[in-house]
Amino acid sequence: MIRVSVPATTANLGVGYDVLGMALDLKARFTFEPSTQKLEIIGDEPAFATPENLIYRAFVTFADAIHQPVPNLRITVDSDVPSARGLGSSATCVVGGLAAANAWFHAGWDQAALLKLATQLEGHPDNAAPAIYGQVCATILVGDEPIVRQYPVSQQLHFVVLIPPYAVSTEEARNILPATMSYADAAYQMGRCVLMTRALADGDLALLRQVAQDRMHEPYRAKLIPDYQAARQETAAHDGVLLISGSGSTMLAIIGDAAGAEQLQKAAAQRWPEWQVRIVTPSEQGEQVVKTGDFSEKAEH
Ligand code: HSE
């Protein structure tokens, strides 16, 4: 059996659109075993229990990439990462499927090779990189080769995810963005993106407050999240900074002390009883794979 655990990720970190992402301690866990049927998917929403399932598609993509036949598989899903909420659920599936196939076929791919294929499947690297490497990652693409560097996050910062019960489609949230931006806005954005990594590493909430003012996507996407302004006010009332997590609908509040984070969690849970409101911590680790037994030779094809 192969067990893979992959962290949720919060992409963009406001001003780092398609570049920055941070791994969180919410995990998706997948197991992969040989099956007598072509495909069994257990524990996922019934609508996802088909060969179109992203976990399976990633596994098949990996098998195709190394010219191996796809085995009959039973995939069991146990995920704390909600779908279509901006917490990298699709990256958990893609990275989970690729990492499992890497172990299944003894392929020995390193993290960089996994990220390259994950980025092709995802279309952008900012969830996949921290899902693989952990921590805050900044990723650029040179052609289709990702280059990643990790950044630490100060323990002085505390994070609360505010997860509304409604989904935002990433496709829609990308389609509403303008096609171009001015030099002035690009310069504004670059400075803030660079200093965001420093503010997170230093736990500098005052700097974070300044650099969190995005011009590239949040002003457009805020309109897709009906409670965005209210969530921003609630976070500000607890002296925190609010970012849209990925393409939403989840919002990530950053607070300067643990008591403030707990108070925000309590207040938000009371105000929005339908929401999931959780204190989360950055995950040092990306995907983890544990393999028990050696069955790949014996698996039915
Ligand atoms: N960087 C991507 C976006 C993340 O904001 O569209 C999507 O999860």
Side-chain angles (χ1 to χ4, degrees), residues 43-76:
D44 214 342
E45 292 171 34
F48 296 151
T50 74
E52 292 310 303
N53 182 290
L54 204 45
I55 310 160
Y56 183 66
R57 272 175 42 209
F59 191 102
V60 170
T61 300
F62 190 100
D64 290 348
I66 59 166
H67 309 293
Q68 289 293 319
V70 178
N72 288 349
L73 274 182
R74 179 189 298 135
I75 302 173
T76 307

Side-chain angles (χ1 to χ4, degrees), residues 11-12 17-19 86 88 124 126-127 170 173-174 177 217 221 246-247:
N12 302 327
Y17 177 74
D18 276 3
V19 173
H124 42 82
D126 48 332
N127 289 110
T170 297
R174 293 181 81 83
L177 303 180
H217 66 112
R221 290 173 163 183
S247 54

Side-chain angles (χ1 to χ4, degrees), residues 125-168:
D126 48 332
N127 289 110
I132 292 171
Y133 289 84
Q135 292 190 317
V136 165
C137 292
T139 313
I140 59 165
L141 296 176
V142 178
D144 61 353
E145 294 288 341
I147 298 180
V148 189
R149 291 295 180 270
Q150 290 168 285
Y151 294 83
V153 181
S154 166
Q155 293 191 350
Q156 289 167 42
L157 298 176
H158 299 266
F159 299 89
V160 183
V161 283
L162 309 170
I163 312 175
Y166 43 83
V168 166

Side-chain angles (χ1 to χ4, degrees), residues 78 94 103 119 121 124 139 145 155 158 196 223 229 247 283:
D78 171 18
V94 165
T119 301
L121 289 169
H124 42 82
T139 313
E145 294 288 341
Q155 293 191 350
H158 299 266
M196 173 58 84
K223 297 176 189 130
Q229 292 303 343
S247 54
S283 174

